[in-house]
Structure formats: structure tokens, C-alpha cells
Amino acid sequence: MEQNVEFINLTPENLADEHLCCIIRTRKKHLGVEAKRQWLAERLKEGHVFRKLNQKCCVMIEYAPLETAWVPVEGENYLYIYCLWVDGKCKKHGYGRALLEYCLADAKAQGKSGVCLLGAKKQKAWLTSQAFVQKFGFQTVDTTKDGYELLSLSLDGTTPRFTPSAKAQAIPEQELTIYYDMQCPFILQRVELVQEYCQEKGFPVTFHPVETLEQAKALPCVFNNWAMFYQGQFQTVNLLDIPTLERILKRGKQ
């Protein structure tokens, strides 16, 4: 990695002025970004870390103590990585390695038992590359029946796990159902996109905003900030575009 590269952490003092990497705006306010700022304002008090390259680019890591991470994963004294993202044009500079190494060093400094994150047998969009973290020693420690995995790097031999409810991957409701929180600035865009499509097509859809830690820990599926069900079955943690949504709905009719 180049010398003199500077990373910074978001703090209550600089949160209002720093960009959030994912959606960079210089003039107009973006509703998704502002919602994320509000969400972060509360999470930073809980030990949540948002670290980024101090440039206008998408290079960042976001993690939190597992006890306060809004995911249906449980364990003692772990950190959970929501997102480790290096945009395509910024790759090959060692930024991803530097960010992950910072997280691992932070875990050791805090006396944590390890670090974990959501993955899958087949890499999913919007999830950190499991192939990348496996180079650092992360291993699969829990799985769901449909191929999602919990990857962990243990520092003391203990392991985290999905909650029992997360492994259900099913709900009674048959209509299109989406759970979401404000952890990602893209969420509001995708909610609006799906809502408009379903209204236009006369297709029933239910949205469940996840607004508390307790709700997140009790979710009936794996979750990083978004989860979709159709005909009672879990479909994806991927934020949806219209072609993907149409494929899922068409497959359900067969």
C-alpha cells in the first residue's frame, strides 16, 4: 500500500460532515444517506466502527460488537463485520487488507474472542468476499439449509452462531415480504423501487422495517440489512433490482 495513505473513523463529532462512501453527494442531500447518518448516530455510542479512506471514494469497513449488531447472530465477545467494501477502481492498493487488519487488531486490543461476518457457499452480491477473508483464517462455523454461512476468525477457540430463528428461513405469510433496516444508504432507494413496481403491477407486498436490536436478533432468516421472502420461503439478502425481482416472482409461479 502507498505511503501517506490516511484512514479516518467516523465519530459523533465528524459524522455530519463526512461522506459515507457508499453514496457520495456534494450538493443535494440524499434521503438514504441521511437515514444512515441517523442510524449511525445511535450505533456509534455502542462501539460501532465506520472506518474509511480519507478520500472521495468507496473504501470502508463497518463493524460492531456482536451483542449490539443488528443481525440474528449470537455469541460472546465477538465483533461482527457488516461491510468491507473497496470499489473497483480503488482495488489493488492493499486498502481492503489494511481495513481488515485494523479490525482484527482492534478485536485483539479489546480482548475480543474473535470476528465474524455473513457469507454464503456461493458468493452473494452485497456481502463481503468470503474468499478474501478466508485468506486471513476465517472459517465457516455455522450454516443454513439454503447455503448461507457464518464465517469466523476465533481468537480463543469459541465460535458464534446463527440464532435458532434465523435458521428457519421461512414465514407463514405467502405474499412478497421484505425486512430491512437503515444500515445501508441504498435501502430506501430499493424499498421505493419495489414498492412502485408492486403498485404498478397490482402485486401485494409487505415491508417490515427493523427498528430495534431486539427485532433484528429475532428475525426468521439470515440478515445483514435486507431480507426477502416469497411464498413463505426466504429468497435473498441481496438488495433487489427489477430484473432480479421479476425472476424471483416468476419462479414462484411455476
Side-chain angles (χ1 to χ4, degrees):
M1 188 172 66
E2 302 96 332
Q3 293 182 346
N4 302 319
V5 172
E6 182 185 6
F7 292 92
I8 61 173
N9 288 12
L10 295 186
T11 67
E13 292 73 28
N14 67 16
L15 178 59
D17 300 319
E18 292 290 339
H19 73 76
L20 301 185
C21 291
C22 309
I23 303 176
I24 300 173
R25 293 288 184 272
T26 57
R27 296 180 183 177
K28 293 178 63 176
K29 285 193 173 182
H30 187 285
L31 292 178
V33 170
E34 296 312 309
K36 172 63 181 277
R37 276 192 216 283
Q38 293 177 24
W39 189 85
L40 270 177
E42 296 301 317
R43 305 288 78 74
L44 291 176
K45 302 173 186 177
E46 303 165 349
H48 189 106
V49 173
F50 188 116
R51 184 172 176 83
K52 65 172 186 168
L53 187 66
N54 193 21
Q55 298 177 18
K56 285 193 174 180
C57 58
C58 297
V59 177
M60 49 83 69
I61 189 170
E62 192 169 359
Y63 62 88
L66 182 56
E67 291 84 355
T68 56
W70 284 32
V71 291
V73 177
E74 57 189 8
E76 293 71 41
N77 203 34
Y78 263 74
L79 294 179
Y80 178 85
I81 298 176
Y82 287 100
C83 184
L84 171 57
W85 187 13
V86 177
D87 189 41
K89 64 181 181 181
C90 297
K91 292 182 178 180
K92 308 299 183 183
H93 294 283
Y95 298 149
R97 172 176 288 274
L99 289 169
L100 184 54
E101 287 178 343
Y102 177 90
C103 175
L104 297 179
D106 193 12
K108 292 175 182 177
Q110 293 186 55
K112 294 294 184 182
S113 296
V115 180
C116 61
L117 74 162
L118 180 64
K121 289 186 181 299
K122 182 178 180 181
Q123 177 69 46
K124 306 290 185 182
W126 303 95
L127 291 182
T128 297
S129 168
Q130 52 259 31
F132 175 71
V133 299
Q134 284 167 345
K135 296 176 183 178
F136 290 79
F138 281 75
Q139 298 179 339
T140 299
V141 295
D142 204 357
T143 61
T144 67
K145 60 186 178 183
D146 51 356
Y148 284 90
E149 300 180 336
L150 183 63
L151 287 88
S152 166
L153 177 59
S154 178
L155 300 175
D156 66 3
T158 64
T159 56
R161 55 207 167 272
F162 290 124
T163 62
S165 63
K167 289 195 170 188
Q169 302 286 75
I171 58 175
E173 294 77 13
Q174 295 296 297
E175 68 184 32
L176 180 65
T177 302
I178 293 174
Y179 295 84
Y180 68 93
D181 66 21
M182 290 295 107
Q183 188 272 331
C184 173
F186 289 103
I187 294 290
L188 283 181
Q189 284 183 337
R190 300 310 169 101
V191 168
E192 185 176 281
L193 185 74
V194 174
Q195 199 166 38
E196 290 179 353
Y197 175 87
C198 289
Q199 286 177 348
E200 179 184 334
K201 301 295 184 181
F203 203 90
V205 59
T206 298
F207 293 95
H208 291 294
V210 178
E211 298 175 325
T212 68
L213 174 65
E214 291 72 24
Q215 289 175 344
K217 292 295 187 186
L219 285 166
C221 59
V222 296
F223 183 82
N224 206 47
N225 50 49
W226 175 278
M228 173 187 170
F229 286 85
Y230 183 50
Q231 295 184 340
Q233 297 301 308
F234 178 77
Q235 300 295 323
T236 184
V237 295
N238 291 4
L239 300 186
L240 295 170
D241 55 23
I242 295 305
T244 302
L245 175 59
E246 289 180 333
R247 284 197 298 273
I248 291 172
L249 297 178
K250 183 178 180 181
R251 189 168 64 238
K253 292 179 181 180
Q254 295 176 348

